Amino acid sequence: MVRSIIVAFLAAGALTAQAGNWSSRMLNGNEVTVDPNTNRATVNVEGVTTQLWEGTHRLQDGSVLIIRKGIAVPNMSILDSRELPVPEPSEWEDVPVVGYSPCEKLVRRVCGKEGQCVEAQSCNPSQQLLGMEREEREVSANRNLMTYTSGQCLKADRDKEFFASCRK
């Protein structure tokens, strides 16, 4: 379950073009829609569509939609609505980790070597990946080998749009 959530986060930035718009209703009944290509949210108020304002918005189903810098942070409902491919095991599994693991490298690149960019939209998902990688390595017979999540971090590292580098 947790693995599928992280895979969805990874794919949210790179694979959103495959899915249609996600929509829901705000507490006041207005329809909110998130474009899968840009993650920009719009709200329809009495037939007029405008960009949804910054902040946290409670939806009728009880979930929350967060808008940061004009971009919707994908919630579970948004992620579930997107068609995502199931990743296949690859040549990276069971390869020895030398130096920083792929997830450690991703966190350092996205969040900053000293956490300067911890508020970045993609820092939390990259930290979640690192936590999963560490858990997988802890229960492994050989803790120095790359895991499934290590491979997901390698894929995430190629998605420079969603997993943007820290510039501070």
Side-chain angles (χ1 to χ4, degrees), residues 61-141:
D61 66 3
S63 65
V64 172
L65 179 62
I66 299 170
I67 307 298
R68 284 193 196 139
K69 297 181 182 177
I71 303 295
V73 176
N75 62 26
M76 289 309 302
S77 178
I78 293 171
L79 294 172
D80 287 344
S81 74
R82 296 178 175 169
E83 295 178 23
L84 304 173
V86 177
E88 295 293 326
S90 184
E91 65 276 357
W92 44 258
E93 286 191 88
D94 297 327
V95 171
V97 174
V98 178
Y100 291 110
S101 75
C103 293
E104 289 168 332
K105 290 177 185 175
L106 179 67
V107 167
R108 289 171 60 87
R109 183 177 64 76
V110 171
C111 303
K113 292 178 181 175
E114 296 178 19
Q116 310 91 303
C117 297
V118 74
E119 296 297 322
Q121 176 183 1
S122 57
C123 182
N124 184 274
S126 63
Q127 290 173 329
Q128 289 180 39
L129 283 165
L130 175 59
M132 289 176 55
E133 180 188 52
R134 286 181 175 161
E135 288 175 12
E136 291 170 356
R137 290 176 69 190
E138 281 288 318
V139 299
S140 173

Side-chain angles (χ1 to χ4, degrees), residues 27-42:
L27 279 180
N28 63 8
N30 293 332
E31 182 180 31
V32 61
T33 303
V34 175
D35 182 298
N37 297 312
T38 63
N39 276 341
R40 295 217 179 263
T42 55

Side-chain angles (χ1 to χ4, degrees), residues 5-27:
I5 292 169
I6 296 303
V7 171
F9 271 116
L10 292 177
L15 301 173
T16 54
Q18 297 177 356
N21 288 350
W22 170 90
S23 66
S24 187
R25 296 241 173 239
M26 298 177 67
L27 279 180

